[in-house]
Amino acid sequence: MATKSLLARKNKLSEPKEQLRFLSNGIFADGKLPSFTEKLKVSQQFPLNPNSIEILQINVGYMCNQVCAHCHVDAGPDRKEIMTRETMLQCLDVIKNTKAHTLDLTGGAPEMNPNFRWFVEEASKIGVNDFIVRSNLTILRSNPKYYDLPEFFKKHNIHVVSSMPHYTQDMTDRQRGSGVFKLSIKALEELNAVGYGKEGSGLQLDLVYNPTGAFLPADQKALENDFKKALKRDFNIEFNNLFVITNLPISRFLEYLIASDNYEDYMYALVEAFNPAAVANVMCKNTISVSWDGYLYDCDFNQMLDLKVASKVQHISAYNEKVLQNRAIITSQHCYGCTAGAGSSCQGSLPNPSEGGAT
Amino acid sequence: MANNYYDSSDLKKFGEITEWSEELGKKFFEYYGKVFEEGALSAREKSLIALAVSHVVHCPYCIDAYTKDGLQRGITKEEMMEAVHVGAAIQSGATLVHGVQMMNKHKKLSM
């Protein structure tokens, strides 16, 4: 498993244009598979336009203590892109005025941003209905300076969303690195100890499941039941919901698909599982993604592909919800990842899915 | 035409059998889909049974399909291998239990 980002390895897939070129060539250029635009046109959903903004997702930096094999951010310890306090202040101005009910902080490991706590405190003062921090768990146990974060999260009523690809060590460590499972369990124990995931505490702890290879996730509810049973039985750990997220074929997951000769089969599987009903609820319909340097995107995936919103307003400093509303969402073949089966988003499977594909 | 009997890409074309016999094809896929729904047995348990049977009937398409299905359902490789052993044990038992027939015949024909 690589211990450096694509960028540090000078892999050509670290360039968004190279990824987009790859996703438009081959099986999508020779007509074997329809492009995402063609598929949207057939179901009369092109162009894709947003509904009102409900979620403001802010990526506070690409630095991370882990180098997960599937990471769409290409995050790692060698990434130095970190949101400054100045950009955070611009974000806070937006949070004061937005109609969005959810603030969603992601990274990298957001906790590694030196201004992370200050930003959480300031945003918390404004009052956010649902304040999410996406924590990779191991960061909470990586250094004593982070040990009090569960208490800090509790103080600000943070909704913790954490990655956990499996309830066994083998499958977790293969995706996220050696030793990650044990450290994640320790972090979950600490979160449980302050009340997170416990019934009646009001402290929300959700886990995110990404498949640990070139396959799509199965039913969210069934997986959640298996996770709950196994984590309770083996470690006495409790959590609220399991969010099932499909791996999108970009960045390091794309690198893995190509290197393991799974790319074409995976794209066939995504296209075959295309669910027109899922399109209506994809996250780009109600989300704005903000990058570490303040630019605006339709989603975190488009951010990593450097596909800025198709709008006059492209930066948080000029944020205007009305103007942003009148845009077409930018799509490419990676979007098949969010419309497969029950659909996929940062909040897990999409509501009101039609039935998933049979084998 | 491919110069071998099995081609993994043929699995993607499975649905095409309906084109040459629409009613039967549709009924089969409807039945197939129904069988694997959650029921008295969970879909997870059914997936493991399917994997074991796939090995017993020597179906490479089914082995690919149910290995992938198992991964999707979070089934571990240890669980999958145990399921294969269940199939193998039944298959070898089915061979060996015929040894009784051999013994019967041997005894009947021998002085």
Side-chain angles (χ1 to χ4, degrees):
Chain A
M1 192 168 155
T3 53
K4 284 183 177 174
S5 67
L6 292 170
L7 188 67
R9 283 184 273 136
K10 297 190 167 59
N11 186 308
K12 64 180 180 177
L13 282 177
S14 65
E15 292 167 30
K17 277 192 183 133
E18 191 61 40
Q19 295 179 53
L20 287 165
R21 195 162 30 235
F22 191 88
L23 286 167
S24 293
N25 287 343
I27 40 180
F28 291 101
D30 64 15
K32 278 188 190 153
L33 289 177
S35 70
F36 191 73
T37 299
E38 285 165 350
K39 206 74 172 167
L40 285 183
K41 282 181 178 168
V42 169
S43 59
Q44 297 179 332
Q45 298 184 91
F46 185 84
L48 202 56
N49 297 116
N51 302 327
S52 54
I53 293 165
E54 295 177 73
I55 302 169
L56 194 64
Q57 187 175 58
I58 300 178
N59 193 316
V60 297
Y62 303 158
M63 186 181 278
C64 190
N65 59 320
Q66 292 182 189
V67 189
C68 299
H70 71 299
C71 183
H72 72 278
V73 178
D74 193 27
D78 57 60
R79 296 300 299 263
K80 308 299 179 206
E81 299 88 341
I82 289 285
M83 185 176 276
T84 61
R85 191 182 271 238
E86 187 192 357
T87 307
M88 285 177 167
L89 280 165
Q90 292 171 340
C91 290
L92 289 167
D93 277 343
V94 169
I95 294 163
K96 273 177 206 154
N97 299 310
T98 180
K99 290 196 184 83
H101 53 65
T102 299
L103 177 61
D104 186 341
L105 300 191
T106 187
E111 301 93 330
M112 291 178 87
N113 183 309
N115 291 306
F116 170 73
R117 291 187 198 228
W118 168 81
F119 187 51
V120 169
E121 281 161 4
E122 293 303 311
S124 190
K125 278 183 211 161
I126 296 167
V128 180
N129 193 9
D130 186 7
F131 193 166
I132 296 173
V133 170
R134 291 182 188 268
S135 174
N136 69 19
L137 292 176
T138 63
I139 190 72
L140 306 181
R141 304 304 304 168
S142 64
N143 186 309
K145 70 178 175 182
Y146 298 123
Y147 286 1
D148 67 324
L149 275 173
E151 283 290 353
F152 176 78
F153 289 154
K154 180 181 179 174
K155 186 179 166 199
H156 296 284
N157 196 25
I158 297 297
H159 173 178
V160 178
V161 177
S162 292
S163 309
M164 192 73 173
H166 205 261
Y167 45 81
T168 61
Q169 180 171 340
D170 175 47
M171 287 168 96
T172 299
D173 284 3
R174 265 190 290 145
Q175 182 189 80
R176 303 179 70 77
S178 178
V180 164
F181 183 74
K182 276 190 180 158
L183 223 49
S184 300
I185 292 295
K186 178 71 185 148
L188 286 172
E189 285 170 350
E190 297 296 327
L191 286 164
N192 273 178
V194 301
Y196 271 100
K198 297 279 186 186
E199 212 182 323
S201 71
L203 295 168
Q204 188 87 2
L205 171 61
D206 295 328
L207 299 184
V208 168
Y209 163 90
N210 284 91
T212 54
F215 52 91
L216 308 186
D219 175 65
Q220 181 164 282
K221 202 72 210 165
L223 279 167
E224 182 182 285
N225 286 340
D226 292 339
F227 268 72
K228 283 198 167 170
K229 219 184 295 173
L231 288 176
K232 181 76 186 161
R233 179 193 64 212
D234 299 340
F235 306 102
N236 199 30
I237 282 170
E238 292 173 72
F239 67 95
N240 297 101
N241 304 298
L242 183 78
F243 295 156
V244 164
I245 301 186
T246 302
N247 288 314
L248 264 64
I250 70 166
S251 196
R252 290 213 287 267
F253 190 67
L254 179 60
E255 180 202 24
Y256 155 76
L257 288 176
I258 297 167
S260 61
D261 199 20
N262 278 310
Y263 171 72
E264 288 199 5
D265 282 346
Y266 192 75
M267 295 313 292
Y268 269 97
L270 285 183
V271 174
E272 193 178 77
F274 176 78
N275 175 5
V279 176
N281 292 312
V282 281
M283 63 178 167
C284 51
K285 300 276 278 186
N286 69 348
T287 303
I288 284 287
S289 156
V290 187
S291 62
W292 65 277
D293 51 357
Y295 284 97
L296 308 176
Y297 302 84
D298 300 303
C299 69
D300 203 47
F301 300 105
N302 276 7
Q303 182 184 139
M304 301 315 149
L305 292 170
D306 197 22
L307 299 169
K308 294 183 178 72
V309 282
S311 170
K312 273 192 297 188
V313 171
Q314 289 201 317
H315 195 268
I316 192 82
S317 55
Y319 190 88
N320 182 319
E321 239 149 69
K322 249 191 188 161
V323 176
L324 281 166
Q325 204 70 41
N326 295 317
R327 73 185 202 277
I329 292 163
I330 300 176
T331 61
S332 182
Q333 281 53 261
H334 63 293
C335 302
Y336 275 120
C338 289
T339 56
S344 176
S345 75
C346 287
Q347 273 70 38
S349 291
L350 303 174
N352 307 319
S354 72
E355 59 183 292
T359 306
Chain B
M1 185 178 252
N3 196 20
N4 47 289
Y5 287 107
Y6 288 119
D7 183 340
S8 59
S9 67
D10 282 349
L11 180 55
K12 291 191 196 89
K13 302 175 195 160
F14 190 14
E16 292 175 16
I17 65 155
T18 304
E19 290 170 16
W20 286 15
S21 178
E22 195 176 343
E23 190 191 354
L24 293 177
K26 275 187 175 167
K27 278 191 189 305
F28 166 76
F29 284 113
E30 195 185 331
Y31 164 75
Y32 190 99
K34 200 83 194 153
V35 164
F36 284 95
E37 284 177 5
E38 296 275 341
L41 290 175
S42 67
R44 191 181 198 278
E45 289 166 328
K46 289 176 187 184
S47 178
L48 280 166
I49 294 170
L51 182 69
V53 175
S54 302
H55 282 75
V56 174
V57 298
H58 300 166
C59 172
Y61 301 114
C62 316
I63 292 170
D64 277 5
Y66 283 94
T67 303
K68 191 173 176 182
D69 188 69
L71 278 165
Q72 290 178 182
R73 295 183 190 284
I75 296 173
T76 64
K77 59 182 191 284
E78 290 80 9
E79 290 173 301
M80 289 192 209
M81 188 55 91
E82 279 191 24
V84 172
H85 275 291
V86 171
I90 292 294
Q91 195 164 37
S92 56
T95 301
L96 283 171
V97 74
H98 287 81
V100 178
Q101 188 182 338
M102 177 272 286
M103 290 162 78
N104 289 343
K105 190 71 178 172
H106 193 281
K107 283 173 193 164
K108 185 164 187 266
L109 294 177
S110 302
M111 294 177 82

